[in-house]
Amino acid sequence: MRDNGDSRLTERGRATRERILTAAADMMYVKGVALTTLDDVRAASGTSKSQLYRHYPDKDALMRDVVALRAAEVLERQYQHLQRLSSFRGLERWRDALIERNALHNGAYGCPLGSLASELADQDEEARRAMARHFAAWEDLLEAGLARMRDSGVLRADVDVSGLATGLMAALQGGYLLAQTARDVEPMRIALDMAIAHVKAHAVPAGEASAEAGSDVG
């Protein structure tokens, strides 16, 4: 997140800002950005109007920090799952972790980043550029894992790992949307299974494949 003078805040001030930001992030995820008002955030965070406006003079400033917060949370989880990705089993574990987490809400609310992007991309250029960077970072984690699979002989040497990473990301985000509208994670599972099957189509034939190297996804 941007500093916004946070380094100059007292411990109490930082705690207040964190409370405001957490309340706003939760409300924007469930209700959407457009339907979340500063009064809603003030009530949910238990802060006064003067406290709220001291930290966030307008909704745009608050919304941009919510984007940064959600991106940091999502990318940290994705890093934990993808930092050692080197096998098809690793891709399947990544899929399972995403589906299990989304199933906690029966698919409701969608991707924490994607749901924000759908509201903000055409409304706020700064937010759109930030979203593009965050999604690129997420896709880079996938691409790096696929590159490890290629380099260790799991995938063919001529495979387009960048294209496969984009396909996986597109399947994931489309799956989130379908799960959100259906209130069921099964469409998300199907979309990811099809995308992973496409990756598997680029596998080195079993007789030619070298042993997979490195650790699997944890």
Side-chain angles (χ1 to χ4, degrees):
M1 282 177 291
R2 299 170 300 171
D3 176 39
N4 285 339
D6 188 66
S7 61
R8 298 188 295 274
L9 292 175
T10 63
E11 183 175 346
R12 184 175 179 180
R14 283 191 293 272
T16 299
R17 172 173 283 185
E18 183 177 346
R19 193 165 69 251
I20 293 168
L21 185 56
T22 299
D26 290 345
M27 294 191 76
M28 288 181 183
Y29 182 46
V30 173
K31 295 179 62 176
V33 176
L35 294 179
T36 299
T37 68
L38 290 179
D39 281 341
D40 292 334
V41 174
R42 181 183 57 76
S45 61
T47 52
S48 67
K49 188 169 291 188
S50 62
Q51 285 177 310
L52 175 64
Y53 284 100
R54 177 190 173 199
H55 294 286
Y56 292 104
D58 55 46
K59 186 176 175 180
D60 285 346
L62 178 57
M63 174 268 295
R64 287 166 186 161
D65 271 7
V66 167
V67 169
L69 174 66
R70 284 301 185 213
E73 293 172 345
V74 168
L75 291 174
E76 175 59 25
R77 284 196 301 271
Q78 290 301 295
Y79 176 77
Q80 294 301 320
H81 287 298
L82 295 170
Q83 62 177 320
R84 293 178 293 166
L85 174 65
S86 61
S87 69
F88 291 123
R89 180 57 187 143
L91 274 178
E92 290 163 354
R93 286 185 172 182
W94 169 74
R95 171 205 62 199
D96 292 346
L98 287 163
I99 290 171
E100 287 169 10
R101 185 176 184 86
N102 202 28
L104 295 174
H105 306 290
N106 294 321
Y109 314 130
C111 173
L113 272 183
S115 58
L116 288 171
S118 66
E119 285 198 74
L120 301 176
D122 294 330
Q123 305 297 324
D124 187 290
E125 181 61 16
E126 182 179 337
R128 185 200 65 77
R129 289 196 301 267
M131 287 288 186
R133 291 193 299 272
H134 299 321
F135 277 112
W138 193 346
E139 197 169 312
D140 285 347
L141 291 172
L142 282 166
E143 184 175 339
L146 294 168
R148 284 190 293 273
M149 293 170 68
R150 177 199 60 200
D151 296 345
S152 64
V154 177
L155 294 173
R156 296 199 310 262
D158 63 349
V159 70
D160 177 9
V161 293
S162 177
L164 290 180
T166 298
L168 284 167
M169 181 60 72
L172 172 60
Q173 293 304 318
Y176 266 124
L177 178 60
L178 292 175
Q180 182 179 7
T181 55
R183 291 297 190 268
D184 184 352
V185 296
E186 189 58 22
M188 180 180 179
R189 185 189 308 277
I190 292 170
L192 286 172
D193 282 349
M194 291 183 69
I196 291 173
H198 180 64
V199 176
K200 289 180 176 179
H202 294 79
V204 173
E208 302 173 20
S210 59
E212 291 183 11
S215 302
D216 207 346
V217 173

